Structures are given as structure tokens and as C-alpha cells.
Amino acid sequence: MRALLVVNPAATTTSARTRDVLLHALASEMKLEAVTTEYRGHARDLGRQAAEKGIDLVVALGGDGTVNEVVNGLLHEGPDPERLPRLAVVPGGSTNVFARALGLPNDAVEATGALLDALREDRERAIGLGLAAGTPGTEDEAVPSRWFTFCAGLGFDAGVVGRVEQQRERGRRSTHALYLRQVVRQFLDEPHRRHGTITLERPGQDPVTDLVLSIICNTSPWTFLGNRPVYASPKASFDAGLDVLALSRMSTTSVARYATQLLTSSPERGPHGKHVASLHDLTDFTLHSKVPLPLQMDGDHLGLRTSVTFTGVRRALRVIV
């Protein structure tokens, strides 16, 4: 088996010694080439090259951002699960939502052991992914399409992601406390929290209007606070289309209520109430905004958008589990 190991040297939870141990463990089972990423987008380029060369397996060692780049490289020419390399993930980030949603251990060494067991037993699954693109006929139509593995968001949560990235660029560590502080600051600065600017449109259905927050989930849980899973859309699944959690109001009282619901959410129940819209298993829909709003995918801030079209693509990629 020919395999490529894509290593993010800035992965927050793996040391150089740990990476060496993992590399030797993987190399003992396969013909392995390891490449360390050197710039933003490098993992995407490596994934694309692996697909073009017919590599059997690509292993991403890093956080959700590294995984997202690799996936976008693998799917540069579109999904073809029988032809494209299989994907494996060794978690090395601060949260590792995608890897944990697949059922992998959050520890890199334990995950490597699980990966090797899965390869010996030929365990894999074809998963669905989300695709976001600029909407035809709008000012964003030329924005390149991009795949996401577990979540996307237009509006409030993307603003939080952008604030966290700014803090990290200033040298702050990515911690759950940092995220929570930025949630509070985003809420205090949010100009549209009482009168949302987002409209969700889907074929054959009435539009959902005046939304302040829109979270798109490709799996469940949506994220983790430490070891606590948080379920924004409990029914979301790699085997279905996309789910949406949207809020039409974010007053101080309602935010406190929905935050409590998120923190106490479970696989059976997520946020609910008068100003909550929960949509399940969508294949195609579009989010329009009256004003430019921040967009994030898999925890990566992508700038401001006014219109994004989302597609849920089933069986897009094979992953080792």
C-alpha cells in the first residue's frame, strides 16, 4: 500500500517526538512518504497530488483545518470514492471534531493504533460531505466552491471563529476558554441580533426569513467542549444530507436559554423553542443575507459573503475507521 502522511508541524497537541513515533508505526505497515506542510493550503496541494498520482491512502496528522485542506485536495476534480485515495486521520488539533465524530480516540497515539487495526481488518466507510459555493446570479457567484467535513456557518458563529483566528495570530493558544470569551464579545458587538438578515431558501419550500445565526451540520456532535459533546443538530449524520440550526432572535434572555440547551444537549435533543428552526437531511439550499456576513467552514474563517449555496453530497469519500 502506497500512503502519504501529511503532517501539520503546528498541530497543537502533538510534539516532534510523538510525530516521529507515529511516523515509524505507520511506516512499519505501509510504503509511506511523509511531508510536513510549509504554508497555508499546502495540505490541499498535497491531497490533490496524491489523487493525481493514484496513492492508496492519505493520512492527515493535524487538526480539523488540516483535514479540511486534504479533503479539498482529494476532491479537487469531484467525488469518486472508488477511484480516489482513502482518507485516514490522526488527531493533532485542539478539538478534532471530524476525527472524534468518526469514533476515533482523541489521543494521537491511540488513534494511530486504531488506524492500524482498521487497515489490517480493512474497515472503511463512505461518508457524505458538504459543498459550499457562491450562488449563481449574485455578487458571490465567482467564489470557488469548497468542501467541508463536519460544519459550516454564516453569521454569528463564523464571527466567533474569525475573532479566535485573530487572537491566535497574536500568539494566543487555541483553548475552549478563548472560544467562550470570543462568543461573549461577538454577542455584545453583534448589530443584527434582534433583526436577522439571513434568508434560507430551498426548492419547493417557503423561505425561512430574518435569521441571525445559521449553523450547517454534516455530522453530530457539532463540536466538543473538552470531553463534552455539543449537539446543535442531533440528527445530522455522515450518511445523510445536511442539517441546519438557525435562530431568528438573539436577545440576552434567549441566548442564555439556547446556550444552556446547547451545553445540556444530547443525541436525542438539541436547541428548541419559538425562535429556533431545525431542518434535517437537506440536499440543496441557499443562504442569502441583506448585508455581508462572515462565513466559516470546519472552523476556518473564509471572509464575508452575501449568498452561499450548500449541497449535501452522499458517499463522497472513503475513510478508514
Side-chain angles (χ1 to χ4, degrees):
M1 176 186 296
R2 292 193 304 155
L4 171 68
L5 174 64
V6 178
V7 181
N8 179 359
T12 56
T13 59
T14 55
S15 64
R17 172 174 287 185
T18 300
R19 290 193 289 271
D20 287 341
V21 170
L22 303 182
L23 192 154
H24 288 299
L26 292 170
S28 67
E29 300 286 338
M30 62 192 75
K31 184 178 180 181
L32 183 70
E33 177 186 4
V35 180
T36 298
T37 58
E38 298 176 355
Y39 53 86
R40 189 181 182 99
H42 194 184
R44 181 193 61 233
D45 295 340
L46 293 170
R48 179 178 178 178
Q49 293 165 15
E52 293 171 347
K53 293 177 181 178
I55 297 294
D56 300 303
L57 173 70
V58 177
V59 183
L61 171 54
D64 290 310
T66 302
V67 174
N68 179 278
E69 285 195 14
V70 169
V71 166
N72 274 277
L74 291 174
L75 298 181
H76 178 76
E77 298 294 338
D80 188 350
E82 300 308 315
R83 179 188 65 84
L84 291 174
R86 294 177 293 172
L87 172 70
V89 179
V90 177
S94 58
T95 309
N96 308 306
V97 178
F98 179 68
R100 295 163 82 175
L102 287 173
L104 293 171
N106 198 36
D107 177 80
V109 176
E110 292 181 13
T112 300
L115 166 61
L116 293 175
D117 288 342
L119 288 170
R120 295 184 191 110
E121 299 170 14
D122 199 26
R123 296 199 312 265
E124 65 177 55
R125 63 182 289 195
I127 64 167
L129 296 171
L131 180 66
T135 305
T138 72
E139 62 185 60
D140 289 328
E141 65 179 339
V143 175
S145 60
R146 178 160 172 161
W147 296 89
F148 59 95
T149 64
F150 66 91
C151 84
L154 180 70
F156 183 85
D157 79 305
V160 174
V161 170
R163 288 174 178 271
V164 171
E165 287 192 3
Q166 290 177 350
Q167 293 298 313
R168 293 187 66 182
E169 289 172 359
R170 295 169 184 167
R172 300 286 180 85
R173 288 194 61 200
S174 179
T175 64
H176 299 300
L178 176 63
Y179 272 89
L180 292 175
R181 287 196 300 271
Q182 302 316 310
V183 167
V184 174
R185 289 172 180 170
Q186 180 68 23
F187 172 73
L188 294 175
D189 292 342
E190 176 58 58
H192 308 293
R193 64 175 183 253
R194 292 185 180 275
H195 303 286
T197 66
I198 303 170
T199 296
L200 186 153
E201 295 181 351
R202 48 190 169 139
Q205 302 289 333
D206 292 335
V208 184
T209 61
D210 301 326
L211 301 174
V212 180
L213 175 150
S214 55
I215 295 172
I216 301 93
C217 292
N218 187 48
T219 188
S220 187
W222 165 54
T223 190
F224 292 82
L225 287 176
N227 291 322
R228 179 193 292 272
V230 179
Y231 299 89
S233 296
K235 295 181 180 179
S237 168
F238 287 128
D239 299 319
L242 301 173
D243 282 24
V244 179
L245 171 72
L247 301 181
S248 59
R249 186 176 178 83
M250 291 185 68
S251 64
T252 303
T253 303
S254 64
V255 165
R257 180 168 63 251
Y258 299 138
T260 300
Q261 290 178 355
L262 276 172
L263 292 174
T264 59
S265 59
S266 70
E268 290 73 39
R269 193 170 200 190
H272 52 277
K274 178 180 178 181
H275 301 291
V276 178
S278 295
L279 305 174
H280 173 58
D281 196 12
L282 304 185
T283 301
D284 298 284
F285 63 95
T286 297
L287 295 177
H288 300 286
S289 175
K290 298 174 185 176
V291 299
L293 293 177
L295 173 70
Q296 68 88 11
M297 291 186 212
D298 289 346
D300 188 10
H301 187 270
L302 300 177
L304 301 178
R305 301 285 190 274
T306 56
S307 187
V308 186
T309 294
F310 293 89
T311 306
V313 181
R314 288 174 168 80
R315 296 183 58 83
L317 190 66
R318 292 179 300 160
V319 295
I320 302 299
V321 293

